[in-house]
Amino acid sequence: LEALNAAKKVGFYVQMLVLIDRGQGGVERIEKEKCKVYVAMKLKDLLDYYLEKNMITKIQYNETYNYLNP
C-alpha cells in the first residue's frame, strides 16, 4: 500500500496484476484505494486443482489452506 500511495501522490493511476491471490484480503485492501486489480488465479483454485489431480494430499491441502486462513 505504501508504493501505491506514493505513486498516486505524484499523479499516477495505478493498475495491478496479481498472479496468485492468496485470499488474505490484500486485493480487497488495494481495491479500496481505487486501484484496479487483475487476478490471474486464486490460491484456493490452485489447491483444488492439485488435490483433484492427486498432486497433494488432503492433509497438505488443509494445512496450506489453514495456514493462509487462520
Side-chain angles (χ1 to χ4, degrees), residues 18-66:
V18 174
L19 295 179
I20 299 176
D21 177 8
R22 295 181 301 185
Q24 294 180 301
V27 170
E28 293 79 9
R29 287 177 59 196
I30 293 169
E31 287 177 333
K32 280 185 181 180
E33 299 296 321
K34 307 286 191 260
C35 177
K36 177 65 180 157
V37 180
Y38 300 91
V39 176
M41 182 178 300
K42 295 185 180 228
L43 182 60
K44 176 141 180 5
D45 295 338
L46 190 57
L47 289 172
D48 290 343
Y49 174 80
Y50 286 161
L51 183 62
E52 179 184 321
K53 298 296 181 184
N54 295 315
M55 298 171 75
I56 60 174
T57 67
K58 184 67 173 172
I59 292 171
Q60 291 170 316
Y61 177 95
N62 289 335
E63 286 176 348
T64 303
Y65 188 78
N66 291 335

